[in-house]
């Protein structure tokens, strides 16, 4: 026989982890069940009904009336690239932030779309100052301004979004917001806040497997896309072509990831069942209990409370402790996933998610107890019992 022989493999049995890192988060059993639903064709009338429902549920979750609201096939980065590649035309200028990992990814995508990148600066771990954004807009006169609403690399929530969108609109720039880690977790109001384009992901606060990623565009932003002279350089993500499938016509462009769309539908139904305001409040309450626990045990948050992101909690690594060894021990001893820092904050912070179905009291008590235990075993000066006590008290 020529060619490879079949590799020896076992039936799939991954460990049962508790996912409290920067994503993916624990998937709700209802979503897992929806994924076992038999497929229909992606142009089946019953699937068209599912598509309409997903679009309506996305509008509810984004707080928008935008007609142009769809799940993009692919992970959050696909929705991100769809936003940037369509809205930014070659030769145009995009203003992006430097205060985290995902602003850097925006810059990279803008360059690949043929744009010129200019930046507005803030240190990693701090939000953008509206005055700095205003100055950068005045200096560079960009066509598009992108910002990250919830920076998963730093645990910073960008406050006062309307101040940024008003400034951008005052300079005729369209605003693209990265809402991957805010959607379904912390307050996000696309229409009221004047966001022109928002993209998101499934596996953060929606607790859905990655694969179909929310995107919404205002009429003005979509008009710009449809009026482009140069076609979008990506055929797959060209929204003027995707309009044929998700718009009135319902004609074939590419085969929708049917199972991921089922999953997203169920994840969004969970948001609607809970109610968006109650869901934001739950994330805030559980992140507060987590903060109470880590502080009482003797650790420090890396972010000030005015811009602390409930869905991603940045906790300072105590002196003399190796963050990677802590994360590995949590996985090994407790089947618990959290993450270390990235970029400018590598080695300085733990990133503890509190997202969607993972944002539950039992998980928060668990993460505080397990983290305290592992840190104590590594000789850090922490009081795990005080941590657990404070978390319990905060949850009462
Ligand atoms: C996770 C994330 C992304 C990228 O999403 P993927 O699903 O990993 O492609 C983009 N922006 C932010 C803020 C994220 O947290």
């Amino acid at each position: 026989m020529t060619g490879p022989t079949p590799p020896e493999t076992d039936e799939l049995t991954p460990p049962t982890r508790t996912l409290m890192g920067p994503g993916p988060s624990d998937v709700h059993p209802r979503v897992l069940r929806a994924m076992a639903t038999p497929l229909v064709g992606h142009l089946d009338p019953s699937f068209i009904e599912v598509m309409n429902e997903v679009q309506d549920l996305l509008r509810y979750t984004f707080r928008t009336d935008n007609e142009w609201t769809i799940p993009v096939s692919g992970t959050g980065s696909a929705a991100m690239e769809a936003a940037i590649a369509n809205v930014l035309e070659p030769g145009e200028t995009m203003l992006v932030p430097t205060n985290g990992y995902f602003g850097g990814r925006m810059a990279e995508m803008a360059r690949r779309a043929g744009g010129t990148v200019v930046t507005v600066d803030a240190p990693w771990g701090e939000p953008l100052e509206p005055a700095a954004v205003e100055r950068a807009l005045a200096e560079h006169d960009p066509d598009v301004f992108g910002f990250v609403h919830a920076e998963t690399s730093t645990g910073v929530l960008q406050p006062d979004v309307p101040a940024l969108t008003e400034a951008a609109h005052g300079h005729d720039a369209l605003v693209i917001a990265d809402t991957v880690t805010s959607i379904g977790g912390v307050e996000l109001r696309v229409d009221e806040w004047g966001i022109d384009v928002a993209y998101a992901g499934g596996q953060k606060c929606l607790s859905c497997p990655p694969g179909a990623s929310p995107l919404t565009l205002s009429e003005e932003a979509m008009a710009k896309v449809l009026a482009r002279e140069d076609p979008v350089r990506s055929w797959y993500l060209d929204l003027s072509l995707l309009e044929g499938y998700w718009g009135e016509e319902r004609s074939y462009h590419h085969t929708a990831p049917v199972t991921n769309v089922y999953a997203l539908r169920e994840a969004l139904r969970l948001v609607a069942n809970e109610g968006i305001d109650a869901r934001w409040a739950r994330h805030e309450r559980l992140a507060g209990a987590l903060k109470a626990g880590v502080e009482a045990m003797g650790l420090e948050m890396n972010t000030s409370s005015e811009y602390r992101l409930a869905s991603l909690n940045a906790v300072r690594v105590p002196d003399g402790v190796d963050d990677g060894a802590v994360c590995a021990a949590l996985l090994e001893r407790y089947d618990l996933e959290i993450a270390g820092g990235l970029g400018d904050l590598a080695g300085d912070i733990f990133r503890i998610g509190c997202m969607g179905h993972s944002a539950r009291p039992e998980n928060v008590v668990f993460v505080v107890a397990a983290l305290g235990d592992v840190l104590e075993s590594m000789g850090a000066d922490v009081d795990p019992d005080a941590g657990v006590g404070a978390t319990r008290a905060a949850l009462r």
Side-chain angles (χ1 to χ4, degrees):
M1 197 177 90
T2 59
T5 52
E8 296 248 348
T9 51
D10 294 324
E11 194 178 345
L12 188 62
T13 50
T16 306
R17 309 283 201 206
T18 300
L19 300 178
M20 296 294 280
S25 57
D26 287 338
V27 175
H28 195 285
R30 260 172 60 184
V31 175
L32 291 175
R33 278 201 298 277
M35 293 184 78
T37 306
L39 271 67
V40 294
H42 64 289
L43 294 171
D44 189 297
S46 75
F47 192 67
I48 300 224
E49 189 51 39
V50 167
M51 289 164 70
N52 289 335
E53 289 166 352
V54 168
Q55 290 185 283
D56 281 341
L57 287 160
L58 280 175
R59 289 183 191 104
Y60 172 75
T61 307
F62 267 131
R63 315 309 296 140
T64 185
D65 291 324
N66 287 341
E67 187 188 335
W68 252 89
T69 305
I70 63 166
V72 174
S73 303
T75 70
S77 301
M80 180 176 193
E81 192 137 41
I84 294 170
N86 281 272
V87 172
L88 187 71
E89 295 185 56
E92 289 190 341
T93 300
M94 181 163 173
L95 177 66
V96 303
T98 58
N99 61 339
Y101 179 85
F102 290 102
R105 185 173 293 185
M106 274 187 172
E108 187 55 35
M109 288 181 177
R111 275 186 218 106
R112 287 172 189 231
T116 301
V117 171
V118 292
T119 60
V120 48
D121 301 326
W124 278 51
E126 283 177 35
L128 298 177
E129 287 291 341
V133 173
E134 177 59 48
R135 275 196 305 278
L137 288 162
E139 185 186 344
H140 302 293
D141 199 25
D143 302 283
V144 178
F145 165 53
F147 75 96
V148 181
H149 181 224
E151 218 345 316
T152 322
S153 65
T154 61
V156 168
L157 177 69
Q158 178 63 47
D160 202 2
V161 172
L164 306 190
T165 57
E166 270 167 40
H169 294 154
H171 292 269
D172 293 325
L174 286 173
V175 178
I176 299 181
D178 182 322
T179 62
V180 176
T181 294
S182 48
I183 194 170
V186 302
E187 186 179 12
L188 167 64
R189 300 179 188 276
V190 166
D191 285 3
E192 204 180 309
W193 292 353
I195 295 169
D196 300 291
V197 181
Y199 61 83
Q203 76 275 23
K204 314 280 168 99
C205 300
L206 296 177
S207 275
C208 187
S213 299
L215 174 68
T216 187
L217 290 89
S218 68
E219 217 164 295
E220 193 191 349
M222 196 58 193
K224 183 181 181 201
V225 172
L226 295 176
R228 282 176 68 114
E229 283 180 9
D230 270 333
V232 175
R233 289 177 181 187
S234 164
W235 178 87
Y236 193 72
L237 297 173
D238 184 340
L239 293 176
S240 70
L241 300 178
L242 283 170
E243 198 206 351
Y245 183 50
W246 285 96
E248 292 292 297
E249 230 175 285
R250 307 293 181 171
S251 57
Y252 171 70
H253 174 258
H254 67 267
T255 309
V258 173
T259 302
N260 288 96
V261 175
Y262 286 168
L264 185 61
R265 177 180 179 277
E266 196 58 26
L268 293 167
R269 286 183 73 238
L270 283 159
V271 176
N273 293 160
E274 183 173 3
I276 192 79
D277 294 288
R279 194 169 173 104
W280 295 337
R282 170 165 62 87
H283 282 79
E284 197 53 49
R285 187 171 94 87
L286 289 163
L290 175 64
K291 173 176 184 282
V294 295
E295 286 179 344
M297 113 173 50
L299 302 176
E300 258 179 78
M301 299 296 293
N302 193 58
T303 31
S304 131
S305 50
E306 304 110 76
Y307 47 83
R308 186 173 52 80
L309 174 60
S311 44
L312 195 288
N313 299 273
V315 177
R316 292 204 64 80
V317 177
D319 286 342
V321 168
D322 171 15
D323 61 325
V326 173
C327 295
L330 286 169
L331 204 60
E332 166 79 12
R333 279 159 50 188
Y334 285 100
D335 272 319
L336 172 62
E337 179 176 284
I338 68 164
L342 283 179
D344 288 2
L345 294 173
D348 293 343
I349 59 170
F350 295 116
R351 292 183 300 145
I352 306 178
C354 192
M355 300 181 181
H357 186 56
S358 286
R360 280 175 288 150
E362 59 268 44
N363 283 7
V364 172
V365 172
F366 176 40
V367 79
V368 169
L371 178 64
D373 179 49
V374 165
L375 285 172
E376 189 182 58
S377 74
M378 291 181 176
D381 181 20
V382 291
D383 183 345
D385 296 334
V388 172
T391 295
R392 287 176 54 212
L395 289 170
R396 271 202 280 275

